[in-house]
PDB file of all heavy atoms in Angstrom:
ATOM      1  N   GLU Z 228     -19.961 248.985  42.617  1.00 98.00           N
ATOM      2  CA  GLU Z 228     -20.423 249.791  41.482  1.00 98.00           C
ATOM      3  C   GLU Z 228     -21.647 249.137  40.862  1.00 98.00           C
ATOM      4  O   GLU Z 228     -21.751 247.911  40.792  1.00 98.00           O
ATOM      5  CB  GLU Z 228     -19.311 249.924  40.437  1.00 98.00           C
ATOM      6  CG  GLU Z 228     -19.642 250.889  39.316  1.00 98.00           C
ATOM      7  CD  GLU Z 228     -18.437 251.254  38.453  1.00 98.00           C
ATOM      8  OE1 GLU Z 228     -17.294 250.889  38.819  1.00 98.00           O
ATOM      9  OE2 GLU Z 228     -18.639 251.919  37.437  1.00 98.00           O
ATOM     10  N   PHE Z 229     -22.592 249.975  40.416  1.00 98.00           N
ATOM     11  CA  PHE Z 229     -23.804 249.497  39.758  1.00 98.00           C
ATOM     12  C   PHE Z 229     -24.115 250.421  38.594  1.00 98.00           C
ATOM     13  O   PHE Z 229     -23.979 251.644  38.702  1.00 98.00           O
ATOM     14  CB  PHE Z 229     -24.989 249.486  40.737  1.00 98.00           C
ATOM     15  CG  PHE Z 229     -26.307 249.235  40.067  1.00 98.00           C
ATOM     16  CD1 PHE Z 229     -26.642 247.967  39.627  1.00 98.00           C
ATOM     17  CD2 PHE Z 229     -27.207 250.285  39.850  1.00 98.00           C
ATOM     18  CE1 PHE Z 229     -27.864 247.734  38.981  1.00 98.00           C
ATOM     19  CE2 PHE Z 229     -28.416 250.067  39.212  1.00 98.00           C
ATOM     20  CZ  PHE Z 229     -28.750 248.776  38.782  1.00 98.00           C
ATOM     21  N   GLY Z 230     -24.521 249.834  37.479  1.00 97.00           N
ATOM     22  CA  GLY Z 230     -24.893 250.659  36.337  1.00 97.00           C
ATOM     23  C   GLY Z 230     -25.324 249.798  35.166  1.00 97.00           C
ATOM     24  O   GLY Z 230     -25.460 248.564  35.282  1.00 97.00           O
ATOM     25  N   GLU Z 231     -25.544 250.444  34.030  1.00 97.00           N
ATOM     26  CA  GLU Z 231     -25.864 249.684  32.822  1.00 97.00           C
ATOM     27  C   GLU Z 231     -24.685 248.775  32.495  1.00 97.00           C
ATOM     28  O   GLU Z 231     -23.520 249.152  32.653  1.00 97.00           O
ATOM     29  CB  GLU Z 231     -26.147 250.626  31.659  1.00 97.00           C
ATOM     30  CG  GLU Z 231     -27.441 251.419  31.825  1.00 97.00           C
ATOM     31  CD  GLU Z 231     -27.772 252.255  30.604  1.00 97.00           C
ATOM     32  OE1 GLU Z 231     -27.079 252.106  29.561  1.00 97.00           O
ATOM     33  OE2 GLU Z 231     -28.720 253.048  30.693  1.00 97.00           O
ATOM     34  N   THR Z 232     -24.999 247.575  32.056  1.00 98.00           N
ATOM     35  CA  THR Z 232     -23.961 246.565  31.849  1.00 98.00           C
ATOM     36  C   THR Z 232     -22.866 247.055  30.905  1.00 98.00           C
ATOM     37  O   THR Z 232     -21.675 246.857  31.165  1.00 98.00           O
ATOM     38  CB  THR Z 232     -24.590 245.267  31.317  1.00 98.00           C
ATOM     39  OG1 THR Z 232     -25.442 244.730  32.349  1.00 98.00           O
ATOM     40  CG2 THR Z 232     -23.537 244.238  30.946  1.00 98.00           C
ATOM     41  N   ARG Z 233     -23.253 247.700  29.828  1.00 97.00           N
ATOM     42  CA  ARG Z 233     -22.248 248.165  28.869  1.00 97.00           C
ATOM     43  C   ARG Z 233     -21.275 249.140  29.528  1.00 97.00           C
ATOM     44  O   ARG Z 233     -20.062 249.069  29.324  1.00 97.00           O
ATOM     45  CB  ARG Z 233     -22.940 248.810  27.669  1.00 97.00           C
ATOM     46  CG  ARG Z 233     -21.966 249.231  26.585  1.00 97.00           C
ATOM     47  CD  ARG Z 233     -22.699 249.631  25.319  1.00 97.00           C
ATOM     48  NE  ARG Z 233     -21.770 250.059  24.289  1.00 97.00           N
ATOM     49  CZ  ARG Z 233     -22.142 250.415  23.073  1.00 97.00           C
ATOM     50  NH1 ARG Z 233     -23.415 250.389  22.725  1.00 97.00           N
ATOM     51  NH2 ARG Z 233     -21.238 250.804  22.179  1.00 97.00           N
ATOM     52  N   GLN Z 234     -21.819 250.060  30.348  1.00 97.00           N
ATOM     53  CA  GLN Z 234     -20.954 251.024  31.039  1.00 97.00           C
ATOM     54  C   GLN Z 234     -20.021 250.328  32.025  1.00 97.00           C
ATOM     55  O   GLN Z 234     -18.826 250.650  32.099  1.00 97.00           O
ATOM     56  CB  GLN Z 234     -21.820 252.068  31.760  1.00 97.00           C
ATOM     57  CG  GLN Z 234     -21.014 253.058  32.611  1.00 97.00           C
ATOM     58  CD  GLN Z 234     -21.010 252.702  34.089  1.00 97.00           C
ATOM     59  OE1 GLN Z 234     -22.055 252.471  34.679  1.00 97.00           O
ATOM     60  NE2 GLN Z 234     -19.827 252.625  34.691  1.00 97.00           N
ATOM     61  N   ILE Z 235     -20.548 249.362  32.770  1.00 97.00           N
ATOM     62  CA  ILE Z 235     -19.732 248.654  33.766  1.00 97.00           C
ATOM     63  C   ILE Z 235     -18.559 247.941  33.091  1.00 97.00           C
ATOM     64  O   ILE Z 235     -17.427 247.953  33.581  1.00 97.00           O
ATOM     65  CB  ILE Z 235     -20.589 247.651  34.561  1.00 97.00           C
ATOM     66  CG1 ILE Z 235     -21.617 248.394  35.441  1.00 97.00           C
ATOM     67  CG2 ILE Z 235     -19.719 246.720  35.403  1.00 97.00           C
ATOM     68  CD1 ILE Z 235     -21.030 249.133  36.617  1.00 97.00           C
ATOM     69  N   PHE Z 236     -18.812 247.337  31.934  1.00 96.00           N
ATOM     70  CA  PHE Z 236     -17.768 246.549  31.270  1.00 96.00           C
ATOM     71  C   PHE Z 236     -16.848 247.385  30.385  1.00 96.00           C
ATOM     72  O   PHE Z 236     -15.680 247.024  30.206  1.00 96.00           O
ATOM     73  CB  PHE Z 236     -18.404 245.415  30.449  1.00 96.00           C
ATOM     74  CG  PHE Z 236     -18.793 244.226  31.286  1.00 96.00           C
ATOM     75  CD1 PHE Z 236     -20.036 244.155  31.882  1.00 96.00           C
ATOM     76  CD2 PHE Z 236     -17.897 243.190  31.517  1.00 96.00           C
ATOM     77  CE1 PHE Z 236     -20.396 243.086  32.677  1.00 96.00           C
ATOM     78  CE2 PHE Z 236     -18.237 242.114  32.310  1.00 96.00           C
ATOM     79  CZ  PHE Z 236     -19.491 242.053  32.899  1.00 96.00           C
ATOM     80  N   GLU Z 237     -17.360 248.484  29.843  1.00 96.00           N
ATOM     81  CA  GLU Z 237     -16.541 249.273  28.919  1.00 96.00           C
ATOM     82  C   GLU Z 237     -15.933 250.511  29.561  1.00 96.00           C
ATOM     83  O   GLU Z 237     -14.875 250.972  29.139  1.00 96.00           O
ATOM     84  CB  GLU Z 237     -17.384 249.677  27.698  1.00 96.00           C
ATOM     85  CG  GLU Z 237     -17.834 248.495  26.852  1.00 96.00           C
ATOM     86  CD  GLU Z 237     -18.632 248.924  25.638  1.00 96.00           C
ATOM     87  OE1 GLU Z 237     -18.774 250.155  25.409  1.00 96.00           O
ATOM     88  OE2 GLU Z 237     -19.126 248.034  24.919  1.00 96.00           O
ATOM     89  N   ASN Z 238     -16.606 251.042  30.578  1.00 96.00           N
ATOM     90  CA  ASN Z 238     -16.116 252.284  31.185  1.00 96.00           C
ATOM     91  C   ASN Z 238     -16.446 252.319  32.676  1.00 96.00           C
ATOM     92  O   ASN Z 238     -17.178 253.200  33.145  1.00 96.00           O
ATOM     93  CB  ASN Z 238     -16.752 253.490  30.466  1.00 96.00           C
ATOM     94  CG  ASN Z 238     -16.181 254.799  30.951  1.00 96.00           C
ATOM     95  OD1 ASN Z 238     -15.016 254.888  31.356  1.00 96.00           O
ATOM     96  ND2 ASN Z 238     -17.013 255.843  30.943  1.00 96.00           N
ATOM     97  N   PRO Z 239     -15.903 251.350  33.443  1.00 96.00           N
ATOM     98  CA  PRO Z 239     -16.207 251.336  34.880  1.00 96.00           C
ATOM     99  C   PRO Z 239     -15.676 252.587  35.569  1.00 96.00           C
ATOM    100  O   PRO Z 239     -14.629 253.124  35.191  1.00 96.00           O
ATOM    101  CB  PRO Z 239     -15.495 250.074  35.378  1.00 96.00           C
ATOM    102  CG  PRO Z 239     -14.425 249.802  34.372  1.00 96.00           C
ATOM    103  CD  PRO Z 239     -14.963 250.276  33.059  1.00 96.00           C
ATOM    104  N   HIS Z 240     -16.407 253.041  36.579  1.00 96.00           N
ATOM    105  CA  HIS Z 240     -16.010 254.259  37.281  1.00 96.00           C
ATOM    106  C   HIS Z 240     -14.999 253.987  38.391  1.00 96.00           C
ATOM    107  O   HIS Z 240     -14.267 254.887  38.791  1.00 96.00           O
ATOM    108  CB  HIS Z 240     -17.252 254.949  37.876  1.00 96.00           C
ATOM    109  CG  HIS Z 240     -18.223 255.411  36.836  1.00 96.00           C
ATOM    110  ND1 HIS Z 240     -19.572 255.520  37.067  1.00 96.00           N
ATOM    111  CD2 HIS Z 240     -18.033 255.788  35.544  1.00 96.00           C
ATOM    112  CE1 HIS Z 240     -20.174 255.961  35.967  1.00 96.00           C
ATOM    113  NE2 HIS Z 240     -19.263 256.122  35.030  1.00 96.00           N
ATOM    114  N   LYS Z 241     -14.980 252.758  38.885  1.00 96.00           N
ATOM    115  CA  LYS Z 241     -14.124 252.423  40.017  1.00 96.00           C
ATOM    116  C   LYS Z 241     -12.961 251.531  39.557  1.00 96.00           C
ATOM    117  O   LYS Z 241     -13.151 250.603  38.767  1.00 96.00           O
ATOM    118  CB  LYS Z 241     -14.923 251.702  41.107  1.00 96.00           C
ATOM    119  CG  LYS Z 241     -16.109 252.492  41.640  1.00 96.00           C
ATOM    120  CD  LYS Z 241     -15.656 253.667  42.486  1.00 96.00           C
ATOM    121  CE  LYS Z 241     -16.835 254.467  43.025  1.00 96.00           C
ATOM    122  NZ  LYS Z 241     -17.595 253.746  44.044  1.00 96.00           N
ATOM    123  N   GLU Z 242     -11.778 251.811  40.062  1.00 95.00           N
ATOM    124  CA  GLU Z 242     -10.595 251.022  39.700  1.00 95.00           C
ATOM    125  C   GLU Z 242     -10.764 249.554  40.093  1.00 95.00           C
ATOM    126  O   GLU Z 242     -10.344 248.653  39.366  1.00 95.00           O
ATOM    127  CB  GLU Z 242      -9.351 251.608  40.374  1.00 95.00           C
ATOM    128  CG  GLU Z 242      -8.059 250.910  39.978  1.00 95.00           C
ATOM    129  CD  GLU Z 242      -6.835 251.516  40.643  1.00 95.00           C
ATOM    130  OE1 GLU Z 242      -6.985 252.489  41.414  1.00 95.00           O
ATOM    131  OE2 GLU Z 242      -5.729 251.015  40.386  1.00 95.00           O
ATOM    132  N   LEU Z 243     -11.399 249.312  41.241  1.00 96.00           N
ATOM    133  CA  LEU Z 243     -11.605 247.937  41.698  1.00 96.00           C
ATOM    134  C   LEU Z 243     -12.464 247.151  40.702  1.00 96.00           C
ATOM    135  O   LEU Z 243     -12.189 245.978  40.418  1.00 96.00           O
ATOM    136  CB  LEU Z 243     -12.273 247.954  43.080  1.00 96.00           C
ATOM    137  CG  LEU Z 243     -12.241 246.671  43.899  1.00 96.00           C
ATOM    138  CD1 LEU Z 243     -10.822 246.207  44.176  1.00 96.00           C
ATOM    139  CD2 LEU Z 243     -12.995 246.871  45.215  1.00 96.00           C
ATOM    140  N   THR Z 244     -13.491 247.807  40.167  1.00 96.00           N
ATOM    141  CA  THR Z 244     -14.339 247.165  39.156  1.00 96.00           C
ATOM    142  C   THR Z 244     -13.518 246.815  37.922  1.00 96.00           C
ATOM    143  O   THR Z 244     -13.588 245.699  37.399  1.00 96.00           O
ATOM    144  CB  THR Z 244     -15.497 248.104  38.748  1.00 96.00           C
ATOM    145  OG1 THR Z 244     -16.148 248.594  39.913  1.00 96.00           O
ATOM    146  CG2 THR Z 244     -16.490 247.380  37.875  1.00 96.00           C
ATOM    147  N   GLU Z 245     -12.736 247.755  37.453  1.00 95.00           N
ATOM    148  CA  GLU Z 245     -11.910 247.523  36.254  1.00 95.00           C
ATOM    149  C   GLU Z 245     -10.922 246.390  36.493  1.00 95.00           C
ATOM    150  O   GLU Z 245     -10.729 245.525  35.624  1.00 95.00           O
ATOM    151  CB  GLU Z 245     -11.167 248.801  35.870  1.00 95.00           C
ATOM    152  CG  GLU Z 245     -10.349 248.643  34.598  1.00 95.00           C
ATOM    153  CD  GLU Z 245      -9.739 249.947  34.129  1.00 95.00           C
ATOM    154  OE1 GLU Z 245      -9.887 250.970  34.825  1.00 95.00           O
ATOM    155  OE2 GLU Z 245      -9.110 249.936  33.060  1.00 95.00           O
ATOM    156  N   ASN Z 246     -10.318 246.348  37.658  1.00 94.00           N
ATOM    157  CA  ASN Z 246      -9.353 245.297  37.961  1.00 94.00           C
ATOM    158  C   ASN Z 246     -10.011 243.922  37.952  1.00 94.00           C
ATOM    159  O   ASN Z 246      -9.429 242.933  37.471  1.00 94.00           O
ATOM    160  CB  ASN Z 246      -8.697 245.541  39.323  1.00 94.00           C
ATOM    161  CG  ASN Z 246      -7.706 246.682  39.290  1.00 94.00           C
ATOM    162  OD1 ASN Z 246      -7.274 247.120  38.214  1.00 94.00           O
ATOM    163  ND2 ASN Z 246      -7.335 247.194  40.455  1.00 94.00           N
ATOM    164  N   TYR Z 247     -11.234 243.855  38.467  1.00 94.00           N
ATOM    165  CA  TYR Z 247     -11.934 242.552  38.482  1.00 94.00           C
ATOM    166  C   TYR Z 247     -12.337 242.132  37.071  1.00 94.00           C
ATOM    167  O   TYR Z 247     -12.097 240.992  36.651  1.00 94.00           O
ATOM    168  CB  TYR Z 247     -13.174 242.626  39.377  1.00 94.00           C
ATOM    169  CG  TYR Z 247     -13.894 241.301  39.462  1.00 94.00           C
ATOM    170  CD1 TYR Z 247     -13.334 240.232  40.166  1.00 94.00           C
ATOM    171  CD2 TYR Z 247     -15.098 241.098  38.805  1.00 94.00           C
ATOM    172  CE1 TYR Z 247     -13.980 239.011  40.230  1.00 94.00           C
ATOM    173  CE2 TYR Z 247     -15.746 239.873  38.861  1.00 94.00           C
ATOM    174  CZ  TYR Z 247     -15.180 238.828  39.573  1.00 94.00           C
ATOM    175  OH  TYR Z 247     -15.816 237.608  39.615  1.00 94.00           O
ATOM    176  N   ILE Z 248     -12.923 243.043  36.330  1.00 93.00           N
ATOM    177  CA  ILE Z 248     -13.407 242.709  34.982  1.00 93.00           C
ATOM    178  C   ILE Z 248     -12.258 242.341  34.037  1.00 93.00           C
ATOM    179  O   ILE Z 248     -12.407 241.471  33.174  1.00 93.00           O
ATOM    180  CB  ILE Z 248     -14.233 243.889  34.425  1.00 93.00           C
ATOM    181  CG1 ILE Z 248     -15.591 243.920  35.149  1.00 93.00           C
ATOM    182  CG2 ILE Z 248     -14.437 243.804  32.921  1.00 93.00           C
ATOM    183  CD1 ILE Z 248     -16.401 245.150  34.881  1.00 93.00           C
ATOM    184  N   THR Z 249     -11.122 242.974  34.222  1.00 90.00           N
ATOM    185  CA  THR Z 249      -9.970 242.678  33.344  1.00 90.00           C
ATOM    186  C   THR Z 249      -9.124 241.506  33.857  1.00 90.00           C
ATOM    187  O   THR Z 249      -8.105 241.173  33.271  1.00 90.00           O
ATOM    188  CB  THR Z 249      -9.068 243.903  33.192  1.00 90.00           C
ATOM    189  OG1 THR Z 249      -8.658 244.360  34.497  1.00 90.00           O
ATOM    190  CG2 THR Z 249      -9.796 245.036  32.463  1.00 90.00           C
ATOM    191  N   GLY Z 250      -9.572 240.874  34.942  1.00 86.00           N
ATOM    192  CA  GLY Z 250      -8.912 239.659  35.414  1.00 86.00           C
ATOM    193  C   GLY Z 250      -7.664 239.888  36.239  1.00 86.00           C
ATOM    194  O   GLY Z 250      -6.852 238.969  36.409  1.00 86.00           O
TER     195      GLY Z 250
END
Side-chain angles (χ1 to χ4, degrees):
E228 187 167 351
F229 170 75
E231 291 185 8
T232 294
R233 184 170 179 178
Q234 175 260 309
I235 293 289
F236 280 88
E237 295 181 4
N238 186 31
H240 297 152
K241 302 289 180 70
E242 184 179 0
L243 196 59
T244 310
E245 183 173 4
N246 287 344
Y247 182 71
I248 286 170
T249 56

